[in-house]
């Protein structure tokens, strides 16, 4: 149970998003997958650690409800993330862009960068929120939740 697993894994996700936001328009399309590698590793580390942390802090009779709420809030976050990313892109697009032709490409490139910066800001807030506070929590549950 490393205390800093959750914030470190969220920072890895942010690092992957930063790499995509800053470099994706300057590298071949196939290499974007490699830019997202830190985000993939961060997600794989964060989800089980966060689920275990939340579910172990509850009595076993509440774990079913808590598990459902975890997934509900995760899906809500996905939807909100799409809206924030689209807002970042929209900030870079001028009115009448549909009449500009190929000269509009730079606006879209700037929009992707803006969107990435906005999402990275939210990622940093998440990393700060997941920092351990005080001493390690004494879990209520006597039966620890394990992720298989």
């Amino acid at each position: 149970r490393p205390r800093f697993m959750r914030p470190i894994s969220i920072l890895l996700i942010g690092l992957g998003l930063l790499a995509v936001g800053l470099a994706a328009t300057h590298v071949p399309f196939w290499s974007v997958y490699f830019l997202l590698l830190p985000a993939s590793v961060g997600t794989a580390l964060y989800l089980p650690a966060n689920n275990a942390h939340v579910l172990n802090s509850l009595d076993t009779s509440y774990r079913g409800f808590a598990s459902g709420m975890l997934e509900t809030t995760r899906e809500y976050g996905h939807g909100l993330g799409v809206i924030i990313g689209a807002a970042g892109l929209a900030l870079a697009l001028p009115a009448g862009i549909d009449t500009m032709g190929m000269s509009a490409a730079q606006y879209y490139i700037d929009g992707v960068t803006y969107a990435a910066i906005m999402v990275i800001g939210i990622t940093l807030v998440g990393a700060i929120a997941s920092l351990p506070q005080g001493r390690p929590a004494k879990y209520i549950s006597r039966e620890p939740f394990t992720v298989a």
Side-chain angles (χ1 to χ4, degrees):
R1 277 194 218 162
R3 294 184 68 205
F4 291 96
M5 175 68 77
R6 294 182 314 143
I8 289 171
S9 58
I10 290 177
L11 290 174
L12 279 172
I13 295 169
L15 179 66
L17 296 173
L18 177 68
V20 169
L22 297 179
T25 57
H26 306 293
V27 297
F29 179 74
W30 59 268
S31 65
V32 172
Y33 297 110
F34 296 108
L35 295 175
L36 281 171
L37 189 62
S40 300
V41 170
T43 301
L45 293 173
Y46 177 74
L47 292 177
N50 188 59
N51 290 354
H53 178 77
V54 170
L55 295 178
N56 279 337
S57 67
L58 298 170
D59 188 58
T60 55
S61 62
Y62 296 110
R63 285 187 179 168
F65 177 78
S67 180
M69 287 306 297
L70 274 171
E71 195 55 39
T72 300
T73 56
R74 187 173 295 130
E75 293 302 322
Y76 176 75
H78 291 163
L80 190 60
V82 169
I83 292 169
I84 291 170
L89 180 62
L91 287 173
L93 302 180
I97 194 165
D98 56 337
T99 62
M100 296 177 77
M102 287 304 292
S103 63
Q106 186 60 44
Y107 292 109
Y108 284 102
I109 292 169
D110 292 343
V112 168
T113 303
Y114 294 160
I117 290 170
M118 291 172 76
V119 172
I120 291 165
I122 292 169
T123 304
L124 289 175
V125 170
I128 292 168
S130 68
L131 283 171
Q133 299 172 358
R135 296 185 337 201
K138 292 183 180 180
Y139 295 114
I140 294 171
S141 174
R142 292 187 180 101
E143 302 167 23
F145 176 79
T146 57
V147 178

